[in-house]
Amino acid sequence: MRAKLVLFIFQFLFISVAWSQVKFEAEVSRNSLGLNERLRVDFVMNQEGDNFKPPAFKNFTVVGGPYQSISNSYINGKRSFKKSYGYYLEPNSRGKLEIGQAEVLINGQTYKTSPVTITVSAAVDQPNQENTANKRASQGIHLVTRISNEQPYLNEGISVEYVLYISPSVNISNWRPIDNPKFADFWSQNIDIKRLEVKEGTYLGEPYRYVTLRKTVLYPQKTGDLSIEPLTLSLSVDVLSDRRDFFGRRLYETIDQRVSAKTRTIKVKPLPTENRPTNFNGAVGDFKFNVLVNKKNLQVGESLEAKVQVSGSGNLKLFQLPKLVTPSSLEVYEPEHIEEVRTTQNGMQGKIFDNYTLVPQTKGKYPIPALSFSYFDPQQRTYKTLTAQETLIEVEGGVGMTSQTSVTTNQNIGFQKNNITQSREPFRFLKLNPAFQEANANRFFRSLGYWLLFLTPFYILPLLVFLKKKRANSSLNAGEGNASKLVRKYLNEAHQHKKRPDSFYVHLERALYGFIRTKLKIANSDLNKEKVIQVLEQHKVEDKIIEQFITLLKNCEMARYTPLAQANVDHDFEEAKRIVTHLDKKL
C-alpha cells in the first residue's frame, strides 16, 4: 500500500513538472524557397504569455499578419494549450536569410525563440501561392524575357528585353525591382528607357497591355550554354475580390505581388577555326578600317599625327587595334586610345582609334607600311581582312637650319675660303642723337656700378640657395628635377582628365613611358614593362620603387577595360608624381 502511494506521488510530480515546462518555438512552413515565393512563420507557446514582441524581419517583407490563434483542449484528462502568432513573409534578397528571435513574458520570465535560417534561391518558374488573391494576380500578370538571338557567336551582340504583360482584369499602381539579373558570363550594357510606354497587344492569344521595363545589350564571353537570369519585381496589384459594394459590384483588393521572368538559356557558338587570319584579334561585327595622317609633308623636328581607326558596329570595346609599324628614324610616342562609341539596342556603334604622335629626326622619305585588320562577320559567317595602303611621308630640312659647307683650301692662292654669315640687318642707320661724354668725367670708384658689383655676391648667393631649394621641393607639375617637358605636359594633361578615368590613364601611361624613354635613352620599339624592370635594376633602383612603377603601368592598362573609381585616380596621380620625382633624382 505504501509502495502504491509513493508511485502515485511520483507520477503526480512528474506530470506537474512536465506541465510546468514552458515551450516557445518558431515554426516555418518551409526552409527553402524562391525569391518570388512566400513562407509562413508561427511563434508558438504552450502557456499563456504577455508582451509578445516579434522579430524585426530585417531580411523580409511582411505581407500578412499577425494572425493570432489559441487552442485549449482536454484529452484523457490532460490539458493541452497552444497559442501562436503567425506572419506571411516575402524574402528581399537571395542567400541565407535569418528570422530573428521573438520574445514573450510567461509567469514573469522572458522567453525567446531560436533564430531560423531560410535559404532563398533565384526566382522559380512556378511559384506556390498562399491565397486566392495572389493566384488571381499571378494569372493576370506575366513577365517575359525577349532575346534577339538565342544562338549567337562568341562576342556577337544580342539584346535582352524584359516585358511585363498585364491582363485587363488587374491594375498595377506601383512596381520596383527586387532582384536584378547578374550577367557573369557577358559584357553587358543597360539601355536607358526615358519613358515607359504602355501598348496594346496579345499574350497567348488573349488581349493584354504590355510595357518594356528594361533593355540590355549582351556580348557573350564564353561558349556553350549560358543562362540569362530572371528579373524579379515587386508589384502593387489591384485585383477583383469576392466582396461586393451596396450595388452588388465586385470590389478591388490591393495586394503585394511578386512576379519573375523565367530563366532562359542561350547556346553560344565558338568562332570557326577554318580560314581564321593570323592577325585576328577577337573583333566580331561589321567594320571599316583606316590609317590616317594629318600631313604628308613636314620639316625635321615637326610632329605629325597618325590615326589607326576602326569604325562600324560590333564589339568595339572588346578588342585591341593593330600596332602601327614605322621606320626607326621616326620617333614614335605611345598612342592615345580614344573610344567614340554609343550602345543602342542594336549593340555598340561608333569608332575607336589609336592616335600616334610621330617626330622625324632627319631629312628624307619615310614609308609607313601597309597595315591590315581582320574581323569575323556573324551575318555572313566568314572572316574578312581590310588593308590600309602604304603612306609616304616626306621630310624637308628644318626651319632655321643651315647646311655646313666644308672648308676648302686653295693651295695656288694660299688662303682658306670660309662661310660668310650675313647679318639679319645689313644696314645700320646713323644715330641722330649720340650721347657723347667727356673723357674721365666720372670715376668708377664709389660709383653706382662700383657698389653694384661689390654687393653682387652678397645677394646672388642667397638667391642661388633659395632657387636650389625651391627647385628640389617643387612639385612635378611645376617642372621639378630634370624630367622632360614632354613628361610634364602629359602629366598636366592627365591631371586635366581626372574626371574621366579612361582618358586620364591614357595620358598617365604616356607620361610614364615617355619619362623612361627620355631619361634612359631607350628605343621606342624596345620599350615595355620587362625592359623597364631590367634597366631600372641595372641602375640599382630600389625594388619597392620598381614594383610601384610597374603597378602604375598595369593600372593604366587595366583602366582600358575595367572602369576604376575616382579614389584610384587620385591615388595613382599622386603616386606617379612621387615615383617620377624619386627616379629623376636617382637616375
Side-chain angles (χ1 to χ4, degrees):
M1 184 67 181
R2 181 177 298 178
K4 292 183 178 180
L5 180 60
V6 171
L7 180 62
F8 175 78
I9 294 174
F10 177 78
Q11 290 178 346
F12 177 79
L13 292 175
F14 177 80
I15 294 174
S16 299
V17 171
W19 167 246
S20 63
Q21 184 178 1
V22 176
K23 291 184 179 181
F24 183 45
E25 299 175 338
E27 300 176 355
V28 293
S29 59
R30 53 202 308 187
N31 293 100
S32 61
L33 69 158
L35 188 61
N36 56 339
E37 294 184 300
R38 299 179 176 181
L39 64 88
R40 174 162 178 153
V41 57
D42 291 285
F43 301 99
V44 183
M45 61 195 77
N46 64 346
Q47 292 190 29
E48 182 63 51
D50 299 316
N51 298 329
F52 171 76
K53 294 181 181 179
F57 299 117
K58 294 181 179 179
N59 302 314
F60 298 86
T61 299
V62 179
V63 296
Y67 304 106
Q68 181 177 339
S69 65
I70 298 177
S71 105
N72 194 357
S73 61
Y74 289 88
I75 301 176
N76 296 327
K78 296 181 180 180
R79 182 189 178 205
S80 175
F81 177 84
K82 180 179 179 181
K83 182 177 182 180
S84 65
Y85 294 89
Y87 297 85
Y88 283 103
L89 306 178
E90 286 183 346
N92 293 332
S93 61
R94 285 187 277 182
K96 292 185 179 297
L97 308 183
E98 184 178 86
I99 299 176
Q101 294 178 315
E103 298 182 6
V104 69
L105 187 64
I106 300 177
N107 296 328
Q109 186 175 355
T110 300
Y111 293 86
K112 297 182 179 180
T113 61
S114 299
V116 180
T117 301
I118 305 297
T119 302
V120 182
S121 62
V124 298
D125 294 340
Q126 295 181 352
N128 293 327
Q129 303 296 342
E130 298 289 344
N131 55 56
T132 305
N134 287 102
K135 290 182 180 179
R136 292 173 183 167
S138 64
Q139 293 172 356
I141 299 174
H142 307 278
L143 186 58
V144 178
T145 304
R146 292 179 179 176
I147 302 176
S148 62
N149 184 4
E150 296 185 3
Q151 294 185 350
Y153 282 99
L154 180 69
N155 260 317
E156 180 184 2
I158 62 174
S159 65
V160 176
E161 295 183 356
Y162 294 95
V163 183
L164 182 64
Y165 286 89
I166 308 166
S167 172
S169 61
V170 299
N171 295 315
I172 296 177
S173 56
N174 191 21
W175 69 277
R176 62 184 178 90
I178 293 296
D179 186 40
N180 292 315
K182 300 175 178 61
F183 305 109
D185 298 323
F186 300 85
W187 182 95
S188 62
Q189 175 69 54
N190 289 330
I191 306 301
D192 292 334
I193 301 178
K194 296 182 179 179
R195 187 170 62 90
L196 299 179
E197 296 183 4
V198 180
K199 300 179 180 180
E200 299 291 336
T202 60
Y203 179 77
L204 298 179
E206 299 292 333
Y208 271 79
R209 296 163 292 166
Y210 70 94
V211 58
T212 301
L213 299 178
R214 178 167 298 183
K215 297 179 181 179
T216 305
V217 173
L218 304 178
Y219 285 85
Q221 303 298 295
K222 291 173 57 177
T223 59
D225 294 336
L226 302 183
S227 297
I228 306 293
E229 291 191 350
L231 172 67
T232 303
L233 305 176
S234 176
L235 308 171
S236 296
V237 185
D238 297 331
V239 296
L240 290 172
S241 66
D242 295 332
R243 297 180 298 136
R244 297 181 180 272
D245 61 9
F246 179 78
F247 300 100
R249 293 172 299 191
R250 295 177 63 181
L251 298 175
Y252 278 91
E253 178 183 357
T254 302
I255 62 171
D256 293 327
Q257 177 72 12
R258 293 195 178 182
V259 60
S260 176
K262 294 183 178 180
T263 301
R264 300 286 298 276
T265 301
I266 64 172
K267 185 176 182 61
V268 181
K269 298 178 292 186
L271 298 177
T273 57
E274 184 178 0
N275 299 324
R276 178 183 294 180
T278 56
N279 65 339
F280 176 69
N281 202 18
V284 178
D286 185 13
F287 302 109
K288 295 180 180 179
F289 177 67
N290 293 293
V291 176
L292 308 172
V293 295
N294 63 340
K295 60 180 74 172
K296 295 183 180 179
N297 297 278
L298 65 158
Q299 302 292 325
V300 172
E302 186 180 356
S303 66
L304 66 92
E305 291 185 354
K307 183 186 298 183
V308 179
Q309 175 178 290
V310 171
S311 60
S313 61
N315 61 335
L316 287 166
K317 296 184 178 181
L318 302 177
F319 62 86
Q320 291 184 345
L321 293 170
K323 298 295 183 181
L324 185 68
V325 180
T326 59
S328 59
S329 299
L330 293 178
E331 185 177 0
V332 184
Y333 296 103
E334 284 296 316
E336 178 183 11
H337 184 75
I338 300 176
E339 297 178 350
E340 297 178 358
V341 181
R342 68 183 186 279
T343 304
T344 65
Q345 187 174 355
N346 297 323
M348 299 185 207
Q349 298 176 353
K351 61 182 179 180
I352 60 173
F353 53 89
D354 285 342
N355 201 12
Y356 292 81
T357 299
L358 311 179
V359 181
Q361 302 299 316
T362 58
K363 178 181 177 180
K365 295 183 179 181
Y366 302 96
I368 297 179
L371 192 63
S372 61
F373 167 74
S374 298
Y375 68 94
F376 179 74
D377 189 339
Q379 300 299 323
Q380 299 184 9
R381 302 179 182 179
T382 183
Y383 291 96
K384 295 182 179 180
T385 300
L386 305 177
T387 302
Q389 300 300 320
E390 178 184 284
T391 303
L392 183 64
I393 306 299
E394 296 187 10
V395 181
E396 302 293 338
V399 178
M401 297 181 62
T402 59
S403 60
Q404 296 181 352
T405 305
S406 62
V407 178
T408 61
T409 303
N410 191 332
Q411 297 179 356
N412 296 328
I413 301 177
F415 65 89
Q416 291 183 343
K417 184 179 179 181
N418 298 326
N419 290 333
I420 299 176
T421 303
Q422 294 183 350
S423 174
R424 295 183 179 178
E425 298 179 358
F427 298 99
R428 297 179 180 271
F429 295 95
L430 296 176
K431 295 183 178 181
L432 300 179
N433 297 313
F436 294 113
Q437 294 181 356
E438 183 181 354
N440 299 326
N442 296 321
R443 295 184 179 182
F444 180 74
F445 182 71
R446 293 184 179 180
S447 64
L448 179 61
Y450 169 83
W451 289 113
L452 288 176
L453 291 176
F454 180 79
L455 297 175
T456 294
F458 295 98
Y459 61 78
I460 288 244
L461 288 176
L463 180 61
L464 291 177
V465 173
F466 172 75
L467 291 177
K468 183 177 181 180
K469 290 183 178 180
K470 182 178 180 182
R471 184 180 180 185
N473 297 328
S474 60
S475 65
L476 196 59
N477 285 333
E480 79 268 60
N482 297 320
S484 66
K485 295 181 179 180
L486 185 63
V487 175
R488 296 197 302 271
K489 172 187 174 183
Y490 288 157
L491 278 178
N492 288 332
E493 291 179 356
H495 185 271
Q496 295 173 3
H497 290 77
K498 287 177 70 175
K499 294 184 179 179
R500 293 181 55 197
D502 52 349
S503 180
F504 164 80
Y505 280 101
V506 170
H507 288 83
L508 183 61
E509 183 181 28
R510 181 187 300 183
L512 295 175
Y513 275 119
F515 171 78
I516 293 298
R517 179 176 58 250
T518 304
K519 195 72 177 178
L520 303 178
K521 309 299 183 183
I522 302 176
N524 186 72
S525 58
D526 296 335
L527 194 59
N528 52 54
K529 291 191 292 293
E530 291 74 16
K531 183 65 174 181
V532 171
I533 295 174
Q534 179 183 354
V535 174
L536 292 179
E537 288 178 347
Q538 291 175 356
H539 285 77
K540 298 181 180 180
V541 177
E542 299 89 335
D543 293 340
K544 182 178 180 181
I545 296 298
I546 297 177
E547 181 181 356
Q548 293 172 350
F549 190 86
I550 298 302
T551 299
L552 282 175
L553 292 178
K554 291 181 179 180
N555 289 348
C556 294
E557 295 177 355
M558 187 182 302
R560 294 184 179 180
Y561 311 101
T562 305
L564 299 178
Q566 184 65 34
N568 293 341
V569 171
D570 296 335
H571 175 267
D572 289 345
F573 182 73
E574 295 300 327
E575 280 289 289
K577 289 170 56 179
R578 181 182 63 82
I579 294 173
V580 170
T581 302
H582 180 84
L583 291 177
D584 188 38
K585 296 177 181 179
K586 182 73 175 179
L587 303 177

